[in-house]
C-alpha cells in the first residue's frame, strides 16, 4: 500500500550537509509514523530518527542529536532528514521506514515498509 523511495545521498566531506528525502506513494502516508535508519558496512541497521504521523513527536539517536533534523510534509507525502556537520562515522546506507507503531519504530527497528536506501559517504 505504501512505497518509499529515498533520494539525496552522495559523497561529501566532513562538516558538509545533506538533505535526504523519502517520497511515499499511496494515500495513507499521513497515518504512518516515519523513521530513518542507517546501516554501515559490517554493522547492523541502526535507528537514526523518527517522527509521529502528525510530526508532534520526534526522537533521535544520541549519535546524531543536535546535528540531524527529521521533518515531514504530509501534503507532499515526503519525509526529510536534514543532516548537518556530517562526520565520517555517518557513512552508511540510509533507509526510510513507515510503521503504525511508534515505539516499535524507535526502539525495536520494526517497520511495515522500507525504502531501498540511499548511500551517504562522508570523507575526512
Amino acid at each position: 500500500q505504501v512505497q518509499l523511495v529515498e533520494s539525496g545521498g552522495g559523497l561529501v566531506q566532513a562538516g558538509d550537509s545533506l538533505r535526504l528525502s523519502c517520497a511515499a506513494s499511496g494515500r495513507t502516508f499521513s497515518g504512518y509514523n516515519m523513521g530513518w535508519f542507517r546501516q554501515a558496512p559490517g554493522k547492523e541497521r541502526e535507528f537514526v530518527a523518527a517522527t509521529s504521523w502528525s510530526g508532534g513527536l520526534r526522537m533521535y539517536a544520541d549519535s546524531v542529536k543536535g546535528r540531524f533534523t527529521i521533518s515531514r510534509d504530509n501534503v507532499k507525502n515526503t519525509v526529510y532528514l536534514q543532516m548537518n556537520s556530517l562526520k565520517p562515522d555517518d557513512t552508511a546506507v540510509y533507509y526510510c521506514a513507515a510503521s503504525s507503531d511508534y515505539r516499535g519504530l524507535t526502539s525495536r527497528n520494526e517497520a511495515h515498509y522500507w525504502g531501498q536506501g540511499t548511500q551517504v559517504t562522508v570523507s575526512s
Side-chain angles (χ1 to χ4, degrees):
Q1 193 72 25
V2 177
Q3 182 181 355
L4 307 174
V5 180
E6 303 95 334
S7 63
L11 174 63
V12 299
Q13 295 184 358
D16 286 352
S17 297
L18 279 175
R19 189 195 194 197
L20 305 183
S21 298
C22 174
S25 65
R27 288 185 280 268
T28 61
F29 172 77
S30 62
Y32 285 95
N33 307 290
M34 302 297 298
W36 287 95
F37 295 79
R38 66 188 183 186
Q39 187 166 21
K43 301 184 67 176
E44 296 181 351
R45 188 168 296 183
E46 174 189 20
F47 169 78
V48 176
T51 180
S52 61
W53 71 268
S54 66
L57 298 175
R58 288 180 291 180
M59 182 175 291
Y60 300 92
D62 289 340
S63 59
V64 306
K65 192 175 183 65
R67 299 187 297 120
F68 291 11
T69 302
I70 187 171
S71 62
R72 67 189 298 165
D73 187 334
N74 290 340
V75 175
K76 296 182 178 180
N77 291 339
T78 302
V79 62
Y80 305 95
L81 184 67
Q82 178 66 46
M83 305 185 294
N84 297 328
S85 301
L86 283 163
K87 305 175 180 180
D89 286 346
D90 296 319
T91 296
V93 177
Y94 283 71
Y95 298 90
C96 179
S99 177
S100 62
D101 186 346
Y102 185 75
R103 288 191 296 272
L105 185 67
T106 59
S107 64
R108 297 188 294 274
N109 290 4
E110 296 176 348
H112 292 96
Y113 301 97
W114 294 90
Q116 302 257 357
T118 184
Q119 177 71 49
V120 173
T121 302
V122 185
S123 65
S124 59

